[in-house]
Amino acid sequence: PAAIQRAIAAGVKCIEHGHLMDESTAKLMAERGIWLSIQPFPDEMADGFPPGSQQRAKAQEVLAGTEIAYGLARKYKLKTAFGTDILFSRALAQRQGELLAKLVRWYSPAQALMMATATNAELLAMSGKRNPYPGKLGVVEEGAFADLILVDGNPLENLKLVEEPGKNFVVIMKDGKIYKNSLPK
C-alpha cells in the first residue's frame, strides 16, 4: 500500500497489479480517479518457486491479495482494466482466456468482457502520443480499430467459452482481416 500511495502522490493515473492494496489506498484511488490494471493469476503460480523460499512466500501473498484487491475495486467502484503481463510467457499466454473467465468471481460475464475490451481501450487512449493504436478503440464502428470474435455460444451466459478459443472462437477478425473462419460454407 505504501508504494501505491507514493506512486499516486507522484502523479500516476493507473496502478498496475495492486494486489496488495488496502482499504485506505483503494479509497484514495477512488477519490483521485486512479485506475487499477490488475489480473487474476493462475492459482498454481506460486508453485513455480521452491517450497519455503522467500519468492514463493511473496507469490502466495500476492495470490491471497487478489481477492481483497478485486473486492476493494468493486466496493470503491475503481475504474478497472484487465491487465496482463502473461504475454511474455507462451504457456501463460495460452491461458489468457482462462484468466479472463476467472473474473466471474467478482464481475458478471458482461462486466468482465467490457473490462477486457472497451475499458482497456479507454485506458490505452490515455497514453496520448504513446498510444500504439492512433484511432478510436473499444467500439465497433466504421473507422475504429476493432478486432472481432464470433463465439460458438453465448459468453454473456458462460464466460468459460473464452477458455478454449481454438474450439469456441469460430471467426477471428483483426484490423478488418479474417484470420479464422470455421463457419460452414
Side-chain angles (χ1 to χ4, degrees):
I4 295 170
Q5 291 176 18
R6 278 194 304 274
I8 292 169
V12 302
K13 299 293 182 201
C14 181
I15 297 297
E16 301 290 323
H17 300 294
H19 290 77
L20 301 179
M21 75 173 154
D22 60 11
E23 183 130 8
S24 64
T25 304
K27 186 177 179 189
L28 176 65
M29 290 174 67
E31 290 168 356
R32 302 251 180 114
I34 307 297
W35 282 65
L36 176 65
S37 178
I38 188 170
Q39 71 190 56
F41 291 107
D43 293 329
E44 71 280 0
M45 187 83 133
D47 297 343
F49 300 103
S53 70
Q54 186 179 18
Q55 294 89 349
R56 188 177 198 142
K58 286 180 180 181
Q60 289 170 329
E61 182 182 11
V62 167
L63 290 171
T66 303
E67 188 75 37
I68 295 165
Y70 274 112
L72 291 170
R74 299 242 334 143
K75 179 178 180 177
Y76 289 99
K77 298 177 176 55
L78 298 180
K79 193 73 159 185
T80 305
F82 175 64
T84 180
D85 53 8
I86 63 169
L87 299 176
F88 302 106
S89 163
R90 182 178 172 95
L92 285 176
Q94 293 174 351
R95 296 177 63 186
Q96 190 162 333
E98 172 190 341
L99 299 180
L100 178 63
K102 285 179 82 166
L103 290 179
V104 297
R105 285 167 72 177
W106 307 282
Y107 300 94
S108 71
Q111 290 170 318
L113 289 169
M114 286 293 295
M115 187 184 302
T117 56
T119 305
N120 276 5
E122 189 179 338
L123 180 59
L124 271 174
M126 289 175 58
S127 62
K129 291 180 181 180
R130 294 178 184 250
N131 184 347
Y133 307 101
K136 206 162 187 185
L137 296 175
V139 296
V140 179
E141 62 182 52
E142 188 174 340
F145 283 91
D147 302 336
L148 302 174
I149 298 171
L150 180 63
V151 180
D152 185 12
N154 186 347
L156 296 176
E157 293 173 2
N158 179 12
L159 193 54
K160 285 189 168 285
L161 291 167
V162 303
E163 290 182 9
E164 295 183 74
K167 174 184 170 193
N168 296 320
F169 293 3
V170 293
V171 175
I172 300 174
M173 182 176 16
K174 178 170 178 49
D175 298 331
K177 181 179 177 188
I178 294 178
Y179 284 84
K180 176 183 179 181
N181 183 352
S182 60
L183 291 172
K185 303 238 184 230

